[in-house]
């Protein structure tokens, strides 16, 4: 195997050998490469032949399946490969492979990409990993009935480029276009979520689990949560979010269910410890799955594209009866049980999306003009297990009292239970939501720039980001597309960025690795 798409990749260079750091075995990684090659082949076939909504769905599902921590199941990967090839046969019926392959029937060999010139490989990796992340957002929107032809069409063009012998001058504009199209995709998902579930409102979420049967739901898919809440209504079962599902508590159409009680646990990488002894089932909806330990394997359920060998999978019928029966069987805790965040806090806040923050924009602008707010920090992104991520906790703790921290995604679990006080009635830590809610941060930044009649890079706003997987890649590309500069990125720089491409990003965008909280704060605040 060869894989370097996530931040924890071995030796900061690439996972090889029998298994990856994430727990994927080499045969699984090879099947994901085979699936990617089949998707490239399908995209080639569709460049000269008409696609359908079914083709779009297969492309999106296939890309989503290859994101880190989504699928560890060789059987379902082979099924997905077969679906892609079957769809290609429908797109080009009766076209058999010949002595001079035209691309209509041939899969792409991913070894060609991994063994290419390092700069070409780097740019193609940015495109491929970017569209994998974007496919996750497109999938969540698609589940709610929202699609966008610009987004869908770009998946084909990007996959086509991965399979072509393009030069750097052809690939670099496509890298930035990936960021542009992802902005459209995030806007679509934001609209899908708010039109379906309402505009998020600031909400205090307890970290205590009440006595009695309960279910923990993790991932990102809010529609799965809605269905679970409906099916558990009046059954005496409480529902607790985990990881990136925390922001669900802020949506009015989900808040109205009284048995959506609170949040259990912290970020995804702690699940093997946190899930070990809980008397309740866990439902995985998206890419938060780690190799399942025997201590809780009988309580794990998956749905959507998430899959793990021998775990019960809830199919398209979305009948969560097995999860419900397991919750009733296990019975939950005998007494109310208190938990804390990693800093000892007993509650967290969420729901500060663009709808809320822009609703008090006049107060925020006045606070900046009066000097009550000196600087904004966007400290967010993915959490992970690599040593050094405590940097983000210490950074936030050391921010001056006249600064605000915007945060999103699961990186916030490093500090979201801290009480840093308020400025003008707003808590200093504003949780804007899931990783895709980077769109909210962008909306707020653009609105502030307009209010102060300046560019985004002239605002008293600094981005200090953590990355782990492919959704962080597409968000970074969106920020580059918008021309945002001087981003600090950590805990390590991506292994798939070649020295030449890194120099390009440094020279043109001022991207820099994090150092120490003290040094970075001193540099930013000058």
């Amino acid at each position: 195997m060869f894989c370097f798409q996530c931040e924890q990749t071995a030796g900061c260079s690439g996972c090889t050998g029998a298994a990856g750091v994430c727990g994927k075995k080499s045969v699984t990684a090879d099947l994901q490469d085979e699936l990617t090659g089949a998707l490239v082949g399908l995209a080639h076939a569709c460049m000269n032949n008409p696609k359908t909504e079914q083709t779009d769905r297969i492309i999106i599902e296939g890309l989503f399946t290859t994101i880190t921590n989504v699928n560890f199941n060789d059987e379902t990967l082979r099924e997905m490969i077969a679906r892609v090839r079957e769809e290609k046969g429908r797109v080009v019926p009766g076209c058999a492979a010949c002595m001079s392959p035209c691309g209509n029937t041939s899969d792409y060999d991913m070894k060609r990409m991994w063994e290419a010139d390092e700069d070409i490989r780097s740019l193609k990796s940015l495109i491929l990993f970017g569209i994998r992340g974007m496919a996750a957002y497109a999938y969540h929107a698609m589940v709610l009935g929202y699609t966008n032809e610009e987004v869908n069409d770009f998946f084909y063009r990007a996959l086509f480029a991965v399979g072509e012998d393009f030069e750097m001058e052809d690939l670099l504009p496509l890298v930035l276009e990936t960021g542009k199209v992802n902005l459209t995709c995030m806007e679509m998902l934001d609209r899908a979520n708010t039109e379906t579930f309402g505009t998020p409102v600031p909400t205090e979420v307890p970290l205590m689990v009440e006595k009695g049967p309960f279910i923990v739901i993790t991932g990102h898919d809010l529609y799965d949560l809605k269905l679970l809440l409906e099916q558990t209504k009046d059954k005496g079962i409480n529902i607790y979010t985990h990881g990136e599902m925390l922001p669900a508590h802020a949506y009015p159409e989900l808040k109205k269910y009284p048995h959506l009680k609170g949040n259990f646990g912290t970020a995804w990488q702690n699940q093997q410890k946190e899930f070990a002894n809980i008397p309740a089932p866990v439902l995985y909806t998206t890419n938060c799955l780690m190799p399942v330990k025997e201590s809780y394997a009988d309580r794990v359920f998956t749905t959507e594209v998430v899959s793990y060998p021998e775990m019960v999978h809830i199919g398209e019928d979305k009948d969560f009866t097995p999860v419900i029966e397991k919750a009733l069987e296990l019975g939950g805790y005998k007494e109310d049980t208190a938990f804390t965040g990693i800093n000892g806090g007993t509650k967290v806040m969420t729901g500060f999306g663009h709808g809320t923050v822009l609703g008090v924009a006049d107060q925020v602008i006045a606070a900046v003009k009066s000097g009550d707010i000196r600087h904004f920090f966007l400290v967010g992104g993915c959490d992970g297990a690599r040593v050094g991520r405590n940097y983000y906790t210490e950074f936030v703790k050391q921010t001056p009292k006249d600064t605000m921290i915007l945060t999103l995604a699961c990186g916030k679990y490093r500090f979201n239970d801290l009480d840093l006080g308020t400025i003008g009635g707003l808590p200093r830590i504003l949780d804007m939501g899931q990783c895709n809610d980077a769109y909210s941060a962008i909306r707020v930044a653009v609105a502030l720039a307009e209010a102060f009649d300046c560019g985004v890079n002239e605002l008293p706003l600094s981005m200090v980001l953590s990355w782990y997987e492919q959704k962080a890649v597409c968000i970074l590309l969106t920020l580059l597309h918008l021309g945002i500069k001087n981003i600090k990125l950590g805990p390590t720089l991506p292994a798939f960025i070649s020295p030449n491409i890194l120099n390009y990003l440094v020279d043109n965008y001022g991207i820099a690795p994090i150092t120490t909280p003290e040094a970075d704060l001193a540099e930013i605040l000058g």
Side-chain angles (χ1 to χ4, degrees):
M1 68 176 291
F2 174 76
C3 183
F4 62 175
Q5 71 173 5
C6 80
E7 188 270 335
Q8 68 181 6
T9 195
C12 294
S13 59
C15 291
T16 59
V21 175
C22 70
K24 259 186 209 105
K25 295 178 179 172
S26 60
V27 63
T28 309
D30 291 342
L31 283 169
Q32 294 197 345
D33 269 1
E34 186 177 344
L35 171 56
T36 303
L39 291 168
V40 172
L42 177 57
H44 273 244
C46 292
M47 295 304 286
N48 299 309
N49 301 278
K51 65 182 181 68
T52 65
E53 289 184 11
Q54 174 179 295
T55 323
D56 291 345
R57 184 178 186 92
I58 287 173
I59 288 281
I60 291 169
E61 282 188 25
L63 285 168
F64 192 1
T65 298
T66 60
I67 289 180
T68 306
N69 295 97
V70 169
N71 193 309
F72 292 79
N73 192 332
D74 297 348
E75 181 181 346
T76 55
L77 286 169
R78 290 188 178 99
E79 290 172 359
M80 190 73 229
I81 293 167
R83 285 180 61 200
V84 173
R85 289 174 176 160
E86 181 181 355
E87 182 65 14
K88 186 161 56 175
R90 190 203 61 76
V91 171
V92 281
C95 181
C98 62
M99 295 299 292
S100 301
C102 62
N104 278 340
T105 57
S106 303
D107 290 349
Y108 178 70
D109 184 355
M110 290 298 292
K111 286 183 180 179
R112 287 177 55 195
M113 177 171 158
W114 305 140
E115 296 172 0
D117 168 84
E118 66 173 357
D119 293 335
I120 298 297
R121 182 179 70 173
S122 184
L123 291 172
K124 284 189 175 184
S125 294
L126 280 166
I127 295 167
L128 176 61
F129 302 159
I131 62 172
R132 283 177 175 175
M134 185 163 61
Y137 300 148
Y139 185 92
H140 298 318
M142 182 173 62
V143 165
L144 296 174
Y146 290 71
T147 59
N148 182 288
E149 277 305 302
E150 178 190 358
V151 173
N152 290 346
D153 290 347
F154 184 77
F155 288 128
Y156 295 86
R157 288 201 294 114
L159 284 167
F160 178 83
V162 166
E164 290 296 295
D165 294 327
F166 286 163
E167 298 298 326
M168 288 181 62
E169 58 267 25
D170 303 307
L171 294 169
L172 190 55
L174 203 59
V175 168
L176 296 178
E177 189 177 359
T178 304
K180 173 180 178 291
V181 177
N182 183 60
L183 181 61
T184 300
C185 189
M186 288 195 297
E187 186 279 331
M188 171 178 66
L189 180 54
D190 177 82
R191 184 161 43 87
N193 284 336
T194 54
E195 291 181 359
T196 304
F197 305 113
T199 299
V201 296
T203 303
E204 184 177 279
V205 183
L207 303 181
M208 181 180 72
V209 176
E210 297 180 12
K211 66 180 181 180
F214 69 98
I215 296 169
V216 174
I217 181 168
T218 187
H220 303 73
D221 202 299
L222 299 178
Y223 186 61
D224 283 331
L225 173 58
K226 172 77 182 307
L227 295 176
L228 182 64
L229 288 167
E230 276 293 319
Q231 293 180 37
T232 51
K233 191 166 53 177
D234 302 323
K235 285 186 166 60
I237 299 173
N238 290 328
I239 306 299
Y240 292 85
T241 56
H242 172 267
E244 283 269 58
M245 199 65 83
L246 166 64
H249 291 274
Y251 286 92
E253 289 300 308
L254 299 176
K255 284 170 64 69
K256 70 182 184 182
Y257 292 91
H259 60 302
L260 177 60
K261 289 290 186 176
N263 191 71
F264 174 83
T266 52
W268 66 273
Q269 78 278 358
N270 300 319
Q271 65 189 256
Q272 291 177 328
K273 177 178 65 177
E274 293 175 344
F275 293 167
N277 298 304
I278 61 170
V282 180
L283 176 64
Y284 290 82
T285 67
T286 53
N287 57 304
C288 291
L289 177 65
M290 290 183 72
V292 179
K293 297 290 188 180
E294 187 177 348
S295 59
Y296 60 95
D298 64 322
R299 286 165 273 153
V300 167
F301 298 82
T302 61
T303 192
E304 301 294 351
V305 299
V306 188
S307 188
Y308 196 85
E310 300 180 10
M311 300 298 106
V312 177
H313 187 77
I314 307 300
E316 293 183 3
D317 62 354
K318 292 297 180 181
D319 181 357
F320 292 117
T321 298
V323 191
I324 293 169
E325 291 176 344
K326 179 59 73 171
L328 294 171
E329 172 194 332
L330 293 170
Y333 293 109
K334 302 301 182 184
E335 302 293 338
D336 292 352
T337 304
F339 295 91
T340 65
I342 67 170
N343 300 289
T346 59
K347 59 188 178 183
V348 294
M349 289 286 293
T350 190
F352 292 94
H354 62 86
T356 294
V357 177
L358 294 181
V360 294
D362 290 347
Q363 295 170 239
V364 173
I365 292 165
V368 174
K369 289 181 176 178
S370 68
D372 290 340
I373 298 177
R374 179 177 25 152
H375 205 88
F376 296 89
F377 296 99
L378 174 58
V379 186
C382 311
D383 205 357
R386 190 185 293 277
V387 174
R389 286 183 180 267
N390 60 323
Y391 163 95
Y392 297 95
T393 309
E394 294 306 313
F395 185 96
V396 169
K397 284 181 177 179
Q398 294 179 36
T399 53
K401 292 183 179 180
D402 57 356
T403 62
M404 300 285 289
I405 294 94
L406 311 176
T407 190
L408 47 83
C410 61
K412 62 177 167 269
Y413 280 104
R414 294 280 168 171
F415 51 80
N416 68 336
D417 63 321
L418 291 170
D419 182 0
L420 298 185
T422 62
I423 299 178
L426 287 172
R428 284 188 54 221
I429 299 177
L430 301 179
D431 176 13
M432 308 192 87
Q434 296 180 340
C435 53
N436 54 282
D437 291 311
Y439 177 74
S440 276
I442 291 167
R443 282 282 303 271
V444 169
V446 170
L448 288 174
E450 290 175 353
F452 289 106
D453 192 24
C454 66
V456 172
N457 291 309
E458 298 171 276
L459 287 171
L461 167 67
S462 300
M463 298 192 179
V464 183
L465 307 180
S466 55
W467 83 283
Y468 173 74
E469 44 90 326
Q470 296 76 64
K471 287 187 283 185
V473 175
C474 66
I475 290 171
L476 177 62
L477 296 181
T478 294
L479 297 176
L480 298 183
H481 154 71
L482 293 169
I484 293 174
K485 297 184 177 182
N486 302 319
I487 296 169
K488 292 195 178 295
L489 185 64
T492 62
L493 294 178
F496 52 82
I497 300 292
S498 68
N500 284 336
I501 302 304
L502 178 59
N503 288 339
Y504 175 87
L505 295 177
V506 171
D507 292 343
N508 289 273
Y509 298 97
I511 285 184
I514 58 172
T515 60
T516 67
E518 296 81 4
D520 289 344
L521 276 167
E523 178 192 337
I524 290 169
L525 296 175

